[in-house]
């Protein structure tokens, strides 16, 4: 059994209106991660992902690439040190409005 880890992420660049959240959803589900992704008022995309360390590392690589119409300038990852068990960690990865 692998240890569950968590990260908060923020992606900056041309990442809204280009399918970035759906791209993240597809990748995260493929990697069997739980969490969410959402648009922010400042034009960035943020989210939380929970899963094994290897899958979270892979997610970071995908987030840097983004979907074809995006232009990613920066991806920030912050490890979540203390995870509180919530429905977030037990459900599917989702898009929040």
């Amino acid at each position: 059994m692998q240890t569950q880890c968590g990260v908060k992420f923020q992606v900056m660049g041309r990442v809204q209106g280009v399918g970035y959240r759906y791209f993240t959803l597809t990748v995260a589900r493929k990697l069997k991660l739980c969490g969410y992704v959402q648009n922010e008022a400042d034009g960035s995309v943020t989210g939380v992902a929970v899963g094994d360390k290897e899958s979270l590392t892979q997610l970071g690589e995908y987030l840097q690439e983004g979907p074809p119409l995006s232009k990613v300038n920066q991806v920030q990852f912050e490890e979540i040190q203390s995870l509180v068990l919530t429905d977030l960690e037990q459900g599917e990865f989702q898009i929040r409005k």
Side-chain angles (χ1 to χ4, degrees):
M1 181 177 187
Q2 297 199 3
T3 304
Q4 296 291 292
C5 303
V7 294
K8 292 181 188 178
F9 59 86
Q10 181 176 24
V11 185
M12 285 138 306
R14 188 176 64 233
V15 293
Q16 290 190 13
V18 294
Y20 200 93
R21 289 180 302 160
Y22 182 74
F23 169 83
T24 304
L25 173 78
T26 303
V27 168
R29 287 185 175 174
K30 177 182 165 192
L31 295 172
K32 298 185 180 359
L33 298 172
C34 301
Y36 65 88
V37 61
Q38 63 190 15
N39 284 337
E40 297 295 339
D42 66 2
S44 68
V45 169
T46 62
V48 172
V50 177
D52 66 81
K53 199 170 206 83
E54 182 179 331
S55 294
L56 292 172
T57 299
Q58 289 178 345
L59 175 66
E61 293 167 3
Y62 279 107
L63 292 179
Q64 188 63 50
E65 286 179 35
L69 296 177
S70 70
K71 181 173 185 336
V72 176
N73 294 335
Q74 184 178 13
V75 177
Q76 295 178 340
F77 252 56
E78 177 185 341
E79 190 171 336
I80 300 171
Q81 295 296 328
S82 176
L83 288 176
V84 177
L85 293 177
T86 66
D87 60 326
L88 165 64
E89 297 169 48
Q90 298 170 16
E92 281 193 325
F93 199 90
Q94 58 190 290
I95 293 174
R96 290 190 177 171
K97 302 295 178 196

